[in-house]
Amino acid sequence: IMLIDVGRMQLVESLPTSRYIALSYVWGQVSVLRTTKDLLPIFREEGGLLPYDDQIPSTIKDAIKLVSSLGERFLWVDSLCIVQDDPLHKHTQISQMNIIYGQASLTIVAVAGKTANSRLPGVGPDTRMSIPDLETVQDICLVPSHLSLASILDDSVYESRAWTFQERLLSKRCLFLTRWTAYYQCSSMAFTEDEDLFREEVTCVP
């Protein structure tokens, strides 16, 4: 498969040992920069994606920034890592979604996004809803409770799409970015960024 080298901003061929992060998001009815047979040689050059920065949707640009900030190098995104006007390449890639998402070290799940132009909450300033401060009432510390991840997914555009639902289930580790907080989940447990541990009725494959 092809991967985005987020440091060099180019497309590269993966190796059997390549460690990468995948993105799962909703395209929606917006213009999305796509790799085509004509653009592929350009995107393979170091810095080849940079001249097209203004055409890269916000969700993907934020994912590139997040992958880099996590100290990782490679990102898989369908619109750029699949040659969209090459029927054979497209069919081959789509037929191995289980491998692509199953072998990713982590999948970024853009739960809050309604289109590819939605920002990833928490990646940049003012990209998610503020959480009220702690309050003390009669010497009792009150902490605002979060919605469960299951209820957030149920109310999302993301979960209404069979394609993204499949991607989530195929992933072994997911980082869910919601409007309020981030949730991390693997096959055995789940965490929020500000709670020690919670358990959910949401399943990922081991």
Side-chain angles (χ1 to χ4, degrees), residues 149 176 183-192 195-200 202:
L149 179 55
F176 298 89
Y183 298 79
Y184 170 82
Q185 184 180 63
C186 63
S187 60
S188 58
M189 62 182 62
F191 296 89
T192 66
E195 295 178 20
D196 290 335
L197 179 67
F198 73 99
R199 299 190 180 278
E200 294 283 357
V202 180

Side-chain angles (χ1 to χ4, degrees), residues 102 169-172 186-187 203-206:
L169 290 183
L170 291 172
S171 301
K172 57 187 176 184
C186 63
S187 60
T203 304
C204 285
V205 295

Side-chain angles (χ1 to χ4, degrees), residues 59-146:
T59 302
I60 297 175
K61 284 199 282 191
D62 282 348
I64 290 172
K65 184 185 300 183
L66 178 56
V67 169
S68 179
S69 69
L70 290 172
E72 297 292 338
R73 182 174 175 182
F74 299 115
L75 171 67
W76 187 90
V77 179
D78 54 3
S79 59
L80 292 175
C81 297
I82 296 176
V83 183
Q84 299 294 323
D85 62 349
D86 184 334
L88 178 59
H89 185 265
K90 192 171 184 178
H91 173 75
T92 302
Q93 297 296 300
I94 290 174
S95 67
Q96 57 178 354
M97 286 295 105
N98 61 321
I99 298 173
I100 292 172
Y101 280 92
Q103 291 186 352
S105 59
L106 176 72
T107 297
I108 298 169
V109 180
V111 179
K114 295 182 179 179
T115 74
N117 277 329
S118 301
R119 298 292 307 275
L120 281 181
V123 175
D126 303 318
T127 55
R128 65 178 175 180
M129 298 178 65
S130 60
I131 299 174
D133 295 331
L134 305 183
E135 294 287 344
T136 301
V137 178
Q138 296 181 354
D139 296 327
I140 299 175
C141 181
L142 302 179
V143 181
S145 62
H146 297 295

